[in-house]
Amino acid sequence: ALSVVKVLEHVGANYSHIDCYDHSQPPHQHMTGQVVTVINRSEIVGRPLAAMLANDGAHVYSVDVESIYLFRDGKLHKCPGETPESCVRKSSVVITGVPTKDYRLPSEWVNPNSTVINVSSFKNVDEESLLKIEGVVYVPMVGKVTVAMLERNLMRLYNNYHHPHRLLLDDEQKTGSHHSNPQQQNQPPPPQQPWYGSPMQLYIAAATTVLLATMWTKK
């Protein structure tokens, strides 16, 4: 989900005719006035993505095979009169994540100057007809951005909880070493722990990174 937000940030910053993400607005208002349709409501991608975009100020239609909901102002609203077509026709951003090769988003539903992002491992759009629509920005996959976001989160986790400077600061706060007596100050410092915490933590982080990179590269 975070990778899609980063893609929208990039599109909004680099395409002058697209205003899907306004960096000049304050936090939680970067997508104010935007209507987004997310065709997927899985617990892994669709639902958290819809919530994140709504938290940035967008009105987000969440579409699945059984129902349509609107994420808006921190609340979930039922939309009994809406259809996938009506939602897409209102939207400036369309995100497809249907995990089947048989699904295709009808290109005639998509507005000019829209942003269409495919997060499925299958192509959910007819790329040739979609790109004939004036001003459309199409992102066919986000796998590499997802891997980059996982790497970023891994580094932030390390910096926040396992970095030697962080561990030393935590130890000082717990023991009050800045108030220690001269005898304690003359004692040799304890041996420094390796930056990776333990060999097992290093192995798990490396194996997970390689596995995810391989998986997304194959897709």
Side-chain angles (χ1 to χ4, degrees), residues 31-37 50 53-54 57-61 70-73 91 93:
M31 296 189 69
T32 298
Q34 300 296 319
V35 178
V36 181
T37 293
L53 298 179
H59 291 182
V60 185
Y61 288 103
L70 175 63
F71 284 77
R72 182 179 62 196
D73 301 327
S91 300
V93 177

PDB file of all heavy atoms in Angstrom, residues 31-37 50 53-54 57-61 70-73 91 93:
ATOM      1  N   MET A  31      -4.260  14.937  -0.722  1.00  0.00           N
ATOM      2  CA  MET A  31      -5.145  14.479  -1.794  1.00  0.00           C
ATOM      3  C   MET A  31      -6.563  15.024  -1.636  1.00  0.00           C
ATOM      4  O   MET A  31      -7.521  14.453  -2.147  1.00  0.00           O
ATOM      5  CB  MET A  31      -5.174  12.953  -1.844  1.00  0.00           C
ATOM      6  CG  MET A  31      -3.828  12.328  -2.187  1.00  0.00           C
ATOM      7  SD  MET A  31      -3.921  10.546  -2.500  1.00  0.00           S
ATOM      8  CE  MET A  31      -4.838  10.524  -4.058  1.00  0.00           C
ATOM      9  N   THR A  32      -6.690  16.130  -0.938  1.00  0.00           N
ATOM     10  CA  THR A  32      -8.002  16.745  -0.766  1.00  0.00           C
ATOM     11  C   THR A  32      -8.605  17.113  -2.120  1.00  0.00           C
ATOM     12  O   THR A  32      -7.946  17.698  -2.976  1.00  0.00           O
ATOM     13  CB  THR A  32      -7.883  18.006   0.098  1.00  0.00           C
ATOM     14  OG1 THR A  32      -7.405  17.642   1.393  1.00  0.00           O
ATOM     15  CG2 THR A  32      -9.235  18.689   0.249  1.00  0.00           C
ATOM     16  N   GLY A  33      -9.857  16.730  -2.315  1.00  0.00           N
ATOM     17  CA  GLY A  33     -10.549  17.016  -3.567  1.00  0.00           C
ATOM     18  C   GLY A  33     -10.409  15.928  -4.613  1.00  0.00           C
ATOM     19  O   GLY A  33     -11.073  15.989  -5.657  1.00  0.00           O
ATOM     20  N   GLN A  34      -9.556  14.924  -4.354  1.00  0.00           N
ATOM     21  CA  GLN A  34      -9.362  13.837  -5.305  1.00  0.00           C
ATOM     22  C   GLN A  34     -10.346  12.693  -5.030  1.00  0.00           C
ATOM     23  O   GLN A  34     -10.669  12.404  -3.885  1.00  0.00           O
ATOM     24  CB  GLN A  34      -7.936  13.293  -5.218  1.00  0.00           C
ATOM     25  CG  GLN A  34      -6.862  14.323  -5.509  1.00  0.00           C
ATOM     26  CD  GLN A  34      -6.942  14.835  -6.934  1.00  0.00           C
ATOM     27  OE1 GLN A  34      -7.177  14.076  -7.862  1.00  0.00           O
ATOM     28  NE2 GLN A  34      -6.739  16.134  -7.102  1.00  0.00           N
ATOM     29  N   VAL A  35     -10.814  12.079  -6.102  1.00  0.00           N
ATOM     30  CA  VAL A  35     -11.653  10.885  -5.997  1.00  0.00           C
ATOM     31  C   VAL A  35     -10.851   9.710  -6.533  1.00  0.00           C
ATOM     32  O   VAL A  35     -10.298   9.763  -7.631  1.00  0.00           O
ATOM     33  CB  VAL A  35     -12.968  11.038  -6.783  1.00  0.00           C
ATOM     34  CG1 VAL A  35     -13.802   9.762  -6.685  1.00  0.00           C
ATOM     35  CG2 VAL A  35     -13.763  12.236  -6.267  1.00  0.00           C
ATOM     36  N   VAL A  36     -10.776   8.656  -5.738  1.00  0.00           N
ATOM     37  CA  VAL A  36      -9.968   7.486  -6.076  1.00  0.00           C
ATOM     38  C   VAL A  36     -10.863   6.246  -6.061  1.00  0.00           C
ATOM     39  O   VAL A  36     -11.733   6.105  -5.200  1.00  0.00           O
ATOM     40  CB  VAL A  36      -8.815   7.296  -5.066  1.00  0.00           C
ATOM     41  CG1 VAL A  36      -7.965   6.083  -5.438  1.00  0.00           C
ATOM     42  CG2 VAL A  36      -7.964   8.554  -4.975  1.00  0.00           C
ATOM     43  N   THR A  37     -10.638   5.346  -7.013  1.00  0.00           N
ATOM     44  CA  THR A  37     -11.302   4.045  -6.995  1.00  0.00           C
ATOM     45  C   THR A  37     -10.244   2.967  -6.866  1.00  0.00           C
ATOM     46  O   THR A  37      -9.297   2.915  -7.658  1.00  0.00           O
ATOM     47  CB  THR A  37     -12.121   3.806  -8.273  1.00  0.00           C
ATOM     48  OG1 THR A  37     -13.213   4.730  -8.309  1.00  0.00           O
ATOM     49  CG2 THR A  37     -12.681   2.391  -8.302  1.00  0.00           C
ATOM     50  N   ALA A  50      -6.858   1.928   0.686  1.00  0.00           N
ATOM     51  CA  ALA A  50      -7.993   2.851   0.705  1.00  0.00           C
ATOM     52  C   ALA A  50      -7.975   3.726   1.955  1.00  0.00           C
ATOM     53  O   ALA A  50      -8.227   4.932   1.893  1.00  0.00           O
ATOM     54  CB  ALA A  50      -9.298   2.068   0.606  1.00  0.00           C
ATOM     55  N   LEU A  53      -5.129   6.428   1.651  1.00  0.00           N
ATOM     56  CA  LEU A  53      -5.459   7.520   0.741  1.00  0.00           C
ATOM     57  C   LEU A  53      -6.550   8.413   1.322  1.00  0.00           C
ATOM     58  O   LEU A  53      -6.512   9.642   1.163  1.00  0.00           O
ATOM     59  CB  LEU A  53      -5.885   6.953  -0.609  1.00  0.00           C
ATOM     60  CG  LEU A  53      -4.815   6.139  -1.360  1.00  0.00           C
ATOM     61  CD1 LEU A  53      -5.382   5.620  -2.675  1.00  0.00           C
ATOM     62  CD2 LEU A  53      -3.565   6.964  -1.597  1.00  0.00           C
ATOM     63  N   ALA A  54      -7.541   7.801   1.985  1.00  0.00           N
ATOM     64  CA  ALA A  54      -8.583   8.601   2.636  1.00  0.00           C
ATOM     65  C   ALA A  54      -7.992   9.445   3.755  1.00  0.00           C
ATOM     66  O   ALA A  54      -8.416  10.581   3.982  1.00  0.00           O
ATOM     67  CB  ALA A  54      -9.679   7.683   3.175  1.00  0.00           C
ATOM     68  N   GLY A  57      -6.882  12.709   2.655  1.00  0.00           N
ATOM     69  CA  GLY A  57      -7.895  13.662   2.223  1.00  0.00           C
ATOM     70  C   GLY A  57      -8.726  13.246   1.032  1.00  0.00           C
ATOM     71  O   GLY A  57      -9.674  13.951   0.667  1.00  0.00           O
ATOM     72  N   ALA A  58      -8.418  12.109   0.388  1.00  0.00           N
ATOM     73  CA  ALA A  58      -9.169  11.692  -0.790  1.00  0.00           C
ATOM     74  C   ALA A  58     -10.489  11.029  -0.408  1.00  0.00           C
ATOM     75  O   ALA A  58     -10.655  10.521   0.703  1.00  0.00           O
ATOM     76  CB  ALA A  58      -8.327  10.721  -1.623  1.00  0.00           C
ATOM     77  N   HIS A  59     -11.430  11.044  -1.363  1.00  0.00           N
ATOM     78  CA  HIS A  59     -12.642  10.234  -1.259  1.00  0.00           C
ATOM     79  C   HIS A  59     -12.369   8.948  -2.039  1.00  0.00           C
ATOM     80  O   HIS A  59     -12.132   9.005  -3.254  1.00  0.00           O
ATOM     81  CB  HIS A  59     -13.845  10.964  -1.831  1.00  0.00           C
ATOM     82  CG  HIS A  59     -14.263  12.144  -1.016  1.00  0.00           C
ATOM     83  ND1 HIS A  59     -15.361  12.927  -1.324  1.00  0.00           N
ATOM     84  CD2 HIS A  59     -13.733  12.688   0.103  1.00  0.00           C
ATOM     85  CE1 HIS A  59     -15.492  13.892  -0.429  1.00  0.00           C
ATOM     86  NE2 HIS A  59     -14.517  13.775   0.446  1.00  0.00           N
ATOM     87  N   VAL A  60     -12.387   7.818  -1.354  1.00  0.00           N
ATOM     88  CA  VAL A  60     -11.920   6.569  -1.951  1.00  0.00           C
ATOM     89  C   VAL A  60     -13.058   5.559  -2.038  1.00  0.00           C
ATOM     90  O   VAL A  60     -13.628   5.160  -1.019  1.00  0.00           O
ATOM     91  CB  VAL A  60     -10.761   5.968  -1.127  1.00  0.00           C
ATOM     92  CG1 VAL A  60     -10.211   4.726  -1.836  1.00  0.00           C
ATOM     93  CG2 VAL A  60      -9.658   6.995  -0.921  1.00  0.00           C
ATOM     94  N   TYR A  61     -13.370   5.162  -3.263  1.00  0.00           N
ATOM     95  CA  TYR A  61     -14.321   4.078  -3.478  1.00  0.00           C
ATOM     96  C   TYR A  61     -13.566   2.756  -3.435  1.00  0.00           C
ATOM     97  O   TYR A  61     -12.613   2.544  -4.189  1.00  0.00           O
ATOM     98  CB  TYR A  61     -15.028   4.232  -4.827  1.00  0.00           C
ATOM     99  CG  TYR A  61     -16.028   5.358  -4.869  1.00  0.00           C
ATOM    100  CD1 TYR A  61     -15.720   6.556  -5.511  1.00  0.00           C
ATOM    101  CD2 TYR A  61     -17.278   5.222  -4.275  1.00  0.00           C
ATOM    102  CE1 TYR A  61     -16.638   7.601  -5.561  1.00  0.00           C
ATOM    103  CE2 TYR A  61     -18.197   6.267  -4.309  1.00  0.00           C
ATOM    104  CZ  TYR A  61     -17.874   7.444  -4.945  1.00  0.00           C
ATOM    105  OH  TYR A  61     -18.777   8.472  -4.989  1.00  0.00           O
ATOM    106  N   LEU A  70     -17.383   3.607   0.473  1.00  0.00           N
ATOM    107  CA  LEU A  70     -16.674   4.876   0.332  1.00  0.00           C
ATOM    108  C   LEU A  70     -15.924   5.173   1.621  1.00  0.00           C
ATOM    109  O   LEU A  70     -16.532   5.264   2.695  1.00  0.00           O
ATOM    110  CB  LEU A  70     -17.652   6.011   0.025  1.00  0.00           C
ATOM    111  CG  LEU A  70     -17.063   7.426  -0.024  1.00  0.00           C
ATOM    112  CD1 LEU A  70     -16.040   7.549  -1.154  1.00  0.00           C
ATOM    113  CD2 LEU A  70     -18.168   8.471  -0.187  1.00  0.00           C
ATOM    114  N   PHE A  71     -14.597   5.290   1.519  1.00  0.00           N
ATOM    115  CA  PHE A  71     -13.782   5.733   2.636  1.00  0.00           C
ATOM    116  C   PHE A  71     -13.706   7.248   2.577  1.00  0.00           C
ATOM    117  O   PHE A  71     -13.211   7.827   1.610  1.00  0.00           O
ATOM    118  CB  PHE A  71     -12.366   5.159   2.528  1.00  0.00           C
ATOM    119  CG  PHE A  71     -12.249   3.710   2.909  1.00  0.00           C
ATOM    120  CD1 PHE A  71     -12.663   2.714   2.044  1.00  0.00           C
ATOM    121  CD2 PHE A  71     -11.716   3.338   4.133  1.00  0.00           C
ATOM    122  CE1 PHE A  71     -12.549   1.377   2.375  1.00  0.00           C
ATOM    123  CE2 PHE A  71     -11.586   2.007   4.484  1.00  0.00           C
ATOM    124  CZ  PHE A  71     -12.009   1.022   3.602  1.00  0.00           C
ATOM    125  N   ARG A  72     -14.187   7.908   3.639  1.00  0.00           N
ATOM    126  CA  ARG A  72     -14.187   9.377   3.652  1.00  0.00           C
ATOM    127  C   ARG A  72     -14.227   9.881   5.086  1.00  0.00           C
ATOM    128  O   ARG A  72     -15.011   9.383   5.899  1.00  0.00           O
ATOM    129  CB  ARG A  72     -15.397   9.919   2.885  1.00  0.00           C
ATOM    130  CG  ARG A  72     -15.458  11.433   2.789  1.00  0.00           C
ATOM    131  CD  ARG A  72     -16.680  11.873   1.996  1.00  0.00           C
ATOM    132  NE  ARG A  72     -17.911  11.455   2.661  1.00  0.00           N
ATOM    133  CZ  ARG A  72     -19.109  11.425   2.077  1.00  0.00           C
ATOM    134  NH1 ARG A  72     -19.229  11.772   0.816  1.00  0.00           N
ATOM    135  NH2 ARG A  72     -20.177  11.035   2.760  1.00  0.00           N
ATOM    136  N   ASP A  73     -13.358  10.842   5.397  1.00  0.00           N
ATOM    137  CA  ASP A  73     -13.345  11.499   6.715  1.00  0.00           C
ATOM    138  C   ASP A  73     -13.221  10.488   7.854  1.00  0.00           C
ATOM    139  O   ASP A  73     -13.855  10.633   8.903  1.00  0.00           O
ATOM    140  CB  ASP A  73     -14.617  12.337   6.911  1.00  0.00           C
ATOM    141  CG  ASP A  73     -14.765  13.404   5.845  1.00  0.00           C
ATOM    142  OD1 ASP A  73     -13.728  13.908   5.389  1.00  0.00           O
ATOM    143  OD2 ASP A  73     -15.913  13.719   5.465  1.00  0.00           O
ATOM    144  N   SER A  91     -13.551   9.272 -10.939  1.00  0.00           N
ATOM    145  CA  SER A  91     -12.233   9.244 -10.307  1.00  0.00           C
ATOM    146  C   SER A  91     -11.139   9.869 -11.161  1.00  0.00           C
ATOM    147  O   SER A  91     -11.140   9.753 -12.386  1.00  0.00           O
ATOM    148  CB  SER A  91     -11.847   7.794  -9.981  1.00  0.00           C
ATOM    149  OG  SER A  91     -12.795   7.206  -9.104  1.00  0.00           O
ATOM    150  N   VAL A  93      -8.005   9.036  -9.998  1.00  0.00           N
ATOM    151  CA  VAL A  93      -7.019   7.978  -9.759  1.00  0.00           C
ATOM    152  C   VAL A  93      -7.761   6.651  -9.702  1.00  0.00           C
ATOM    153  O   VAL A  93      -8.750   6.517  -8.979  1.00  0.00           O
ATOM    154  CB  VAL A  93      -6.239   8.196  -8.448  1.00  0.00           C
ATOM    155  CG1 VAL A  93      -5.270   7.035  -8.196  1.00  0.00           C
ATOM    156  CG2 VAL A  93      -5.492   9.515  -8.468  1.00  0.00           C
TER     157      VAL A  93
END
